[in-house]
Amino acid sequence: MAKTDPKEYYKDEARELLENIENNLLDLEDSPDDDTIINNIFRALHTIKGSGSMFGYEHIAAFTHDVETMFDKIREGEVSASKEVINLTLASKDHIRSLLENEDEFADPMDEDTEKQLLLRLKQYLQKTDESAAAAEPAQPEGEEATEEPQEEKTYRIIFEPEPDIFLRGINPVLLLKEIQELGTSIIMPDKSNIPDLENLDPEKCYTKWTILLTTTAGINAVRDVFIFVEDYCKLRIEIIDEGNIDAEADYKRIGEILCEQGSLSEDSIQSILQQKPAFGEMARQSGVISEDDIQTALEEQKYVRDLRKKRLEVSTSSSIRVKNEKLDELVDLVGELVTLQARLSKVAEDTENSEFDSISESFERLTAELRDNTMNIRMIPLGETFRSFYRLVRDLSNDLGKQIELVTLGSDTELDKNIIDLLKDPLVHIIRNSVDHGIEAPAERTAKGKPEKGTVTIEAKHSGANVLITITDDGKGLDPQKIRTRAIQRGMISENDQLTDGEIYNLIFMPGFSTAEKATSVSGRGVGMDVVKKNIERLRGSVEVKSEKEKGSVIILSIPLTLSIIDGLLLSVADDKYIVNLNLVDECFDMTDDILHDTNGSNIVKLRGELIPFIRLRELFQYDRHKADAEQIAVVILDGAKIGIVIDNILGQYQTVIKPMSSAFKQLEEISGSTILGDGSIALILDINKLAKAVERVKA
Amino acid sequence: MFQIRSKSLKDQIKVTIKGDASVQNAGKILQKLTPLLDEGKSIEIDTSDITFTDLSFLQIIGAAYKSLYTRGQTLRFTGNTLSKPVESVVLRTGFFHSKVSTLVPGQESPFYALVNHSEAG
């Protein structure tokens, strides 16, 4: 098995970090003072820079350094996270991504100018803040990257008590605390009890000491190194209080033990307090032996370590590893081969009268099905990540067009096969662009219509049988059937005499080369669009539908299959040919007898337990010229809540179906979406139920 | 450019500090604040134009808070906010951390409410 190239690993990680940066920047726009978000961005930039340099991406490291410096200033409160700063960082993020994809080089000579511009703007920011902070802190020497091997995450208790004259030695404890905070997650707990009242204060003396809890992968030496230049001027105690073991007890020390270890209380005092009975903390406080801060610090430590261990236990049960997409594809292919082989084995077992062989074949079938389901599940990922990337899209487009638009996403945890999600992104981008550009009106136009200034685009995902429905709704001006009709006539797509329903008119937008935009814009282009969207969705064996109400808005509904590779199918036969229908869609199966045929003057309708169900005969649909079968069966499927019947000669049973691409010979058969190889080596065709439903509609009409 | 000014109002004294409020100017800040204690009024400090600060300033504020409390007065910050450089040092040093301050046992810390940080809860 080929080893993963470390550079590829860096690129994967950097791509993920850049995505995080973008998401955090969009959040920062709403909460510009949120330190957690600012720190997340800073840390991600720091990692991209540090690892970039390690893996030879010097260009990326150098460029990212300036962006990181700007974020450091934001962390320090010297620069505010203004819209301009966010725009600049977003543009820088895009540039880093471009460098990353082009092996640290410019993809285009123009990119060199882009970089120069970005660096100039970044430098202007840094210069501005340096000037305003005239009495800036003494520059901290460029911290050397930790050379220690990365370790397991540990939690340290650091007790740091500077000598009173530390300020006079030119040491700023705030910078040391900052360095500690940068090593990992921490709680900084000061003991301020020695600060006197103002009359007795020497302003040049340090009265504060700290207990710090730090969780980090850095080793104890790296932690100690932070204090290397002040060790002679402070009391310093660094102890490991949590080793990061998964099997560590979730519980942590009692308050008395912590106070004793922190040096706030002696063993003797503990014993004498304990003799007095109830809650220790309260008694210790009342006894006056320790201060409020001591109690708070001990309680904080107890809570911190308990929470840490609890969280670790949770994470250990749901930890994950990163696997290359190609490896997963390979695994799915192998499972596909195994499923096909299993079908052959079942067939041979069926033909051979050997009960032991039968039993082995059945167990093998069960195991294969389980393996198949597990493998397919690995590739299922939530749509949320994809949805999140649309916030940036809508934000940038709204800015370009001078519109105010809010994007709402629902059902982000709905899962789909990763390969499908990858192919779905472009069509979704196109639909959203259309909604933003042509759907939502400019603020003034909206106000004039009595609508809120801000338009809304909603994207929602939900399960529906074997499919996922993705609905993109906007509250814009909606489609204008008259305009579409006129355009279609101009383009010769329909004639003036054609009588079309609104629904049929809306579907014209999916015809090649159709566009009603009076002027083409840079946002949604020149009419190359919805036809490509439709083609791409159909390539995924999905369907697309549009609904609209004038001045109220439009809805685009995409129906996408959960997976593209292996499904549970129901094997059907017509004459000598075999067909597969997705078993998840099948409601029930019957013998097609005269008594269930509903008498409606030749219409294809059956009556089952009082319910009328339209049906279609595959023999008629696919124009078999042979006579009708002696006996027929009907499989009833449910699609979007409606039932339709498929009449065939025989229902052969359940079949694990490895979906193979269609041979070009069958491309003209709209109702077929793929094929599969059966156990005996013959081929079965997979029925596209969406298309079949449309065929039923046509027959009904 | 460092500057400290005070203005005595009817029931409080407003102190405005500008520029570098670090240990370099700590003596000047102390000199200005100490005599104000005896005016028998609460003190409001405007930090909005402080461009740089350090621990010495937080200690002065803590000490002033302590002295005012024994005189039955309070210390607060204009608009109940801190300038970014001050807030940054409060966060770094953990001065916001405990709700109950040891400066004046049993009383709420003057920084706690200002830095409404989730960890402070």
Short mmCIF file of all heavy atoms in Angstrom, two decimals, chain A residues 538-562:
data_model
loop_
_atom_site.label_atom_id
_atom_site.label_comp_id
_atom_site.label_asym_id
_atom_site.label_seq_id
_atom_site.Cartn_x
_atom_site.Cartn_y
_atom_site.Cartn_z
N GLU A 538 -29.01 15.17 -13.00
CA GLU A 538 -29.45 13.90 -13.59
C GLU A 538 -28.31 12.89 -13.68
O GLU A 538 -28.51 11.70 -13.57
CB GLU A 538 -30.07 14.15 -14.97
CG GLU A 538 -31.45 14.76 -14.80
CD GLU A 538 -32.13 15.11 -16.10
OE1 GLU A 538 -31.46 15.10 -17.15
OE2 GLU A 538 -33.34 15.40 -16.06
N ARG A 539 -27.10 13.43 -13.83
CA ARG A 539 -25.93 12.54 -13.84
C ARG A 539 -25.81 11.84 -12.47
O ARG A 539 -25.28 10.76 -12.36
CB ARG A 539 -24.69 13.37 -14.12
CG ARG A 539 -23.59 12.57 -14.77
CD ARG A 539 -22.45 13.46 -15.20
NE ARG A 539 -22.78 14.31 -16.32
CZ ARG A 539 -22.16 15.45 -16.59
NH1 ARG A 539 -21.21 15.89 -15.80
NH2 ARG A 539 -22.50 16.17 -17.63
N LEU A 540 -26.31 12.50 -11.45
CA LEU A 540 -26.29 11.92 -10.10
C LEU A 540 -27.51 11.03 -9.87
O LEU A 540 -27.79 10.65 -8.75
CB LEU A 540 -26.30 13.03 -9.03
CG LEU A 540 -25.06 13.90 -8.92
CD1 LEU A 540 -25.30 15.06 -7.97
CD2 LEU A 540 -23.91 13.06 -8.41
N ARG A 541 -28.27 10.76 -10.92
CA ARG A 541 -29.51 10.00 -10.85
C ARG A 541 -30.55 10.76 -10.01
O ARG A 541 -31.40 10.16 -9.36
CB ARG A 541 -29.29 8.58 -10.31
CG ARG A 541 -28.41 7.74 -11.23
CD ARG A 541 -28.42 6.29 -10.86
NE ARG A 541 -27.97 6.07 -9.50
CZ ARG A 541 -28.73 5.57 -8.55
NH1 ARG A 541 -29.97 5.24 -8.79
NH2 ARG A 541 -28.25 5.41 -7.34
N GLY A 542 -30.43 12.07 -9.98
CA GLY A 542 -31.39 12.87 -9.23
C GLY A 542 -32.32 13.62 -10.17
O GLY A 542 -32.26 13.45 -11.39
N SER A 543 -33.20 14.46 -9.58
CA SER A 543 -34.10 15.25 -10.42
C SER A 543 -34.19 16.66 -9.87
O SER A 543 -33.83 16.91 -8.72
CB SER A 543 -35.49 14.62 -10.43
OG SER A 543 -36.05 14.71 -9.15
N VAL A 544 -34.61 17.58 -10.72
CA VAL A 544 -34.74 18.96 -10.28
C VAL A 544 -36.11 19.50 -10.71
O VAL A 544 -36.61 19.18 -11.78
CB VAL A 544 -33.56 19.82 -10.80
CG1 VAL A 544 -33.38 19.66 -12.29
CG2 VAL A 544 -33.73 21.28 -10.46
N GLU A 545 -36.70 20.28 -9.82
CA GLU A 545 -38.05 20.78 -10.07
C GLU A 545 -38.09 22.24 -9.63
O GLU A 545 -37.39 22.63 -8.69
CB GLU A 545 -39.01 19.95 -9.21
CG GLU A 545 -40.46 20.18 -9.49
CD GLU A 545 -41.32 19.45 -8.44
OE1 GLU A 545 -40.81 18.55 -7.75
OE2 GLU A 545 -42.48 19.80 -8.32
N VAL A 546 -38.90 23.05 -10.30
CA VAL A 546 -38.97 24.45 -9.88
C VAL A 546 -40.43 24.84 -9.64
O VAL A 546 -41.33 24.41 -10.35
CB VAL A 546 -38.29 25.37 -10.93
CG1 VAL A 546 -38.91 25.23 -12.29
CG2 VAL A 546 -38.34 26.83 -10.51
N LYS A 547 -40.64 25.62 -8.56
CA LYS A 547 -41.97 26.16 -8.29
C LYS A 547 -41.78 27.66 -8.09
O LYS A 547 -40.72 28.08 -7.63
CB LYS A 547 -42.55 25.56 -7.01
CG LYS A 547 -42.91 24.10 -7.14
CD LYS A 547 -43.42 23.58 -5.82
CE LYS A 547 -43.73 22.09 -5.92
NZ LYS A 547 -43.96 21.50 -4.61
N SER A 548 -42.80 28.43 -8.37
CA SER A 548 -42.61 29.86 -8.21
C SER A 548 -43.95 30.57 -8.05
O SER A 548 -44.99 30.08 -8.53
CB SER A 548 -41.88 30.41 -9.43
OG SER A 548 -41.73 31.79 -9.30
N GLU A 549 -43.92 31.68 -7.36
CA GLU A 549 -45.11 32.50 -7.26
C GLU A 549 -44.65 33.93 -7.48
O GLU A 549 -43.69 34.39 -6.81
CB GLU A 549 -45.74 32.35 -5.88
CG GLU A 549 -47.18 32.74 -5.88
CD GLU A 549 -47.84 32.44 -4.53
OE1 GLU A 549 -47.39 31.53 -3.82
OE2 GLU A 549 -48.80 33.15 -4.20
N LYS A 550 -45.30 34.63 -8.41
CA LYS A 550 -44.84 35.97 -8.77
C LYS A 550 -44.85 36.89 -7.54
O LYS A 550 -45.80 36.89 -6.77
CB LYS A 550 -45.73 36.54 -9.88
CG LYS A 550 -44.95 37.51 -10.71
CD LYS A 550 -45.70 37.97 -11.93
CE LYS A 550 -44.94 39.15 -12.49
NZ LYS A 550 -45.73 39.95 -13.35
N GLU A 551 -43.77 37.61 -7.37
CA GLU A 551 -43.54 38.55 -6.26
C GLU A 551 -43.40 37.88 -4.89
O GLU A 551 -43.15 38.55 -3.90
CB GLU A 551 -44.64 39.64 -6.18
CG GLU A 551 -44.79 40.48 -7.44
CD GLU A 551 -43.49 41.13 -7.89
OE1 GLU A 551 -42.55 41.23 -7.11
OE2 GLU A 551 -43.43 41.53 -9.08
N LYS A 552 -43.59 36.57 -4.83
CA LYS A 552 -43.42 35.89 -3.53
C LYS A 552 -42.08 35.16 -3.47
O LYS A 552 -41.50 34.99 -2.40
CB LYS A 552 -44.54 34.86 -3.34
CG LYS A 552 -45.92 35.46 -3.15
CD LYS A 552 -46.19 35.69 -1.67
CE LYS A 552 -47.48 36.44 -1.41
NZ LYS A 552 -48.66 35.69 -1.76
N GLY A 553 -41.61 34.66 -4.63
CA GLY A 553 -40.32 33.97 -4.63
C GLY A 553 -40.35 32.66 -5.39
O GLY A 553 -41.38 32.29 -5.97
N SER A 554 -39.21 31.97 -5.41
CA SER A 554 -39.09 30.71 -6.14
C SER A 554 -38.56 29.61 -5.23
O SER A 554 -37.90 29.89 -4.23
CB SER A 554 -38.11 30.85 -7.30
OG SER A 554 -38.44 31.97 -8.06
N VAL A 555 -38.86 28.39 -5.62
CA VAL A 555 -38.35 27.23 -4.88
C VAL A 555 -37.77 26.26 -5.91
O VAL A 555 -38.42 25.93 -6.90
CB VAL A 555 -39.49 26.50 -4.14
CG1 VAL A 555 -38.91 25.40 -3.25
CG2 VAL A 555 -40.33 27.45 -3.32
N ILE A 556 -36.53 25.85 -5.70
CA ILE A 556 -35.93 24.82 -6.56
C ILE A 556 -35.76 23.58 -5.69
O ILE A 556 -35.20 23.68 -4.59
CB ILE A 556 -34.55 25.26 -7.10
CG1 ILE A 556 -34.63 26.62 -7.76
CG2 ILE A 556 -33.94 24.17 -7.97
CD1 ILE A 556 -34.77 26.64 -9.24
N ILE A 557 -36.29 22.46 -6.15
CA ILE A 557 -36.21 21.24 -5.33
C ILE A 557 -35.33 20.22 -6.05
O ILE A 557 -35.60 19.84 -7.19
CB ILE A 557 -37.61 20.65 -5.08
CG1 ILE A 557 -38.50 21.71 -4.44
CG2 ILE A 557 -37.54 19.42 -4.19
CD1 ILE A 557 -39.96 21.43 -4.59
N LEU A 558 -34.26 19.81 -5.37
CA LEU A 558 -33.39 18.78 -5.93
C LEU A 558 -33.66 17.49 -5.17
O LEU A 558 -33.71 17.49 -3.95
CB LEU A 558 -31.92 19.14 -5.76
CG LEU A 558 -31.46 20.51 -6.22
CD1 LEU A 558 -29.97 20.67 -5.97
CD2 LEU A 558 -31.74 20.69 -7.70
N SER A 559 -33.84 16.40 -5.89
CA SER A 559 -34.00 15.11 -5.25
C SER A 559 -32.78 14.28 -5.64
O SER A 559 -32.53 14.05 -6.82
CB SER A 559 -35.30 14.46 -5.75
OG SER A 559 -35.39 13.18 -5.19
N ILE A 560 -32.00 13.89 -4.62
CA ILE A 560 -30.71 13.26 -4.88
C ILE A 560 -30.67 11.89 -4.20
O ILE A 560 -31.04 11.79 -3.02
CB ILE A 560 -29.56 14.12 -4.27
CG1 ILE A 560 -29.71 15.58 -4.67
CG2 ILE A 560 -28.20 13.57 -4.62
CD1 ILE A 560 -29.45 15.85 -6.12
N PRO A 561 -30.21 10.84 -4.89
CA PRO A 561 -30.12 9.54 -4.22
C PRO A 561 -29.05 9.56 -3.13
O PRO A 561 -28.08 10.31 -3.25
CB PRO A 561 -29.73 8.57 -5.34
CG PRO A 561 -29.09 9.43 -6.37
CD PRO A 561 -29.75 10.77 -6.28
N LEU A 562 -29.25 8.75 -2.09
CA LEU A 562 -28.31 8.74 -0.96
C LEU A 562 -26.92 8.26 -1.38
O LEU A 562 -25.92 8.66 -0.83
CB LEU A 562 -28.83 7.80 0.13
CG LEU A 562 -29.93 8.35 1.02
CD1 LEU A 562 -30.50 7.25 1.87
CD2 LEU A 562 -29.39 9.47 1.88
#
